[in-house]
């Protein structure tokens, strides 16, 4: 399966973006199955077609590079990582970091990731050293990010007092607080905290913007601190790493504190906060890794609440019998 065959397919290249994707994915698949290290497309690709192919390659983890000028510009794709056409030594080192699982664990993970696929950001090395453990033991997460803060009841009281003092003094915070009190979810605050107290799982459904994401974690946190004087670890998932980061920033702002104090996040290769943070946002993929990681039992029991975002589309036709 050499360049000849690819050139033949290249000659009949389609015109629309979708058709380019279909055609290019076949060419890339054939290239991946071939013994060739490099494949160069014909020079009859337009700028936008090359753009589509570069984008596809990025998603598939294939290195791609265009070279040449004007009509002669051609796009090449590489099996290994290349820098300016030279093989990057790093790729060999990266290959050595491959994690393998015993067949039983493989089957369980396959099923989990089929039902709850990690988002793009999670599929690449998630704090690999922390997940694998420096000793090299696979699947061992040595991180205490998901452990409960060690605060005593006096320290909790101080945190509550400090929040009310900020609210008294800070005009901007008072404005935000006024806006928060007008959110549709506000009238359900008590109902939510008492439902959480008496049930293991609750489902909260509300229109977009009603306050589910930003308010529920705070209701639970304030309930744990003010009413129960107890420390807690509230883990909230978000479908995307960017939303995990921005929601934790928003909540920190609503409480007049810096991100990484009581509210934090952990996404691929990035985190703010730590064990001391009581509310932490992460992506679905990170939570899954926490839950299925070997030795996770010791700190998973520290997690007091898990808030998962579900996007359920109800098909009205399915209700018609
Ligand atoms: N970063 C932000 N800056 C300003 N306002 C924000 C910010 N994030 C959220 N809000 C506002 O806070 C309110 C509650 O938002 P929140 O995300 O909690 O709602 P939601 O019910 O979770 O919505 P969705 O179902 O779309 O996720 C909304 O009115 C929103 O506009």
């Amino acid at each position: 399966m050499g360049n000849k065959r690819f050139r033949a397919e290249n000659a009949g290249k389609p015109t629309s973006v979708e058709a380019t994707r279909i055609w290019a994915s076949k060419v890339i698949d054939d290239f991946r199955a071939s013994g060739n290290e490099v494949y160069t497309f014909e020079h009859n690709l337009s700028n936008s077609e090359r753009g589509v192919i570069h984008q596809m390659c990025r998603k598939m983890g294939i290195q791609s590079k265009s070279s040449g000028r004007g009509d002669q510009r051609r796009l090449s794709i590489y099996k290994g990582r290349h820098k300016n056409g030279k093989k990057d030594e790093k790729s060999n080192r990266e290959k050595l970091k491959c994690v393998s699982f015993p067949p039983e664990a493989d089957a369980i993970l396959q099923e989990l990731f089929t039902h709850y696929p990690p988002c793009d950001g999670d599929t690449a090395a998630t704090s690999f050293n922390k997940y694998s453990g420096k000793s090299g033991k696979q699947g061992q997460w040595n991180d205490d990010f998901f452990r409960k803060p060690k605060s005593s009841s006096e320290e909790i009281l101080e945190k509550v007092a400090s929040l009310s003092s900020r609210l008294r003094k800070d005009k901007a915070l008072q404005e935000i607080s006024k806006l928060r009190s007008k959110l549709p979810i506000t009238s359900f605050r008590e109902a939510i905290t008492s439902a959480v107290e008496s049930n293991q799982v609750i489902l909260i459904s509300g229109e977009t913007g009603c306050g589910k994401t930003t308010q529920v974690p705070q209701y639970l946190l304030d309930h744990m601190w003010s009413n129960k004087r107890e420390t807690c670890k509230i883990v909230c998932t978000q479908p995307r790493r960017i939303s995990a980061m921005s929601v934790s920033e928003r909540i920190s702002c609503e409480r007049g504190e810096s991100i990484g104090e009581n509210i934090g996040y952990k996404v691929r290769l990035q985190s703010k906060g730590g064990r001391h943070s009581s509310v932490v946002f992460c992506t679905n993929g990170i939570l899954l890794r926490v839950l299925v990681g070997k030795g996770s039992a010791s700190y998973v029991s520290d997690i007091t609440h898990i808030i998962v975002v579900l996007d359920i589309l109800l098909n009205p036709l399915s209700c018609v019998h």
Side-chain angles (χ1 to χ4, degrees), residues 295-309:
S296 61
S298 59
Y299 56 83
V300 163
S301 58
D302 267 15
I303 300 176
T304 51
H305 304 79
I306 296 181
I307 302 179
V308 184
V309 175

Side-chain angles (χ1 to χ4, degrees), residues 183 206-215 246 250 254:
L183 287 173
E207 65 196 28
T208 187
C210 73
K212 301 178 295 295
T213 316
T214 53
Q215 305 310 305
S246 63
R250 172 65 187 172
E254 288 188 0

Side-chain angles (χ1 to χ4, degrees), residues 8 18 41 86 91 93 115 150 152-153 222 269 277 303:
E18 197 44 42
F41 286 82
K86 285 183 195 154
S91 66
R93 286 205 299 274
H115 284 96
K150 281 179 178 160
S152 63
S153 53
D222 293 335
L269 304 177
S277 307
I303 300 176

Side-chain angles (χ1 to χ4, degrees), residues 131-149:
Y131 184 61
S132 66
K134 288 199 171 116
S135 62
K137 272 189 208 163
Q138 285 170 359
Q140 187 83 44
W141 191 306
N142 289 333
D143 200 348
D144 66 358
F145 189 90
F146 291 93
R147 301 203 78 135
K148 209 154 54 170

Side-chain angles (χ1 to χ4, degrees), residues 117-122 213 237-244 282-285 309-311:
C119 62
D120 280 357
D122 297 327
T213 316
T237 69
Q238 283 291 296
R240 296 274 173 267
R241 64 201 302 265
I242 192 82
S243 52
C282 64
T283 49
N284 297 323
V309 175
L310 297 173
D311 264 334

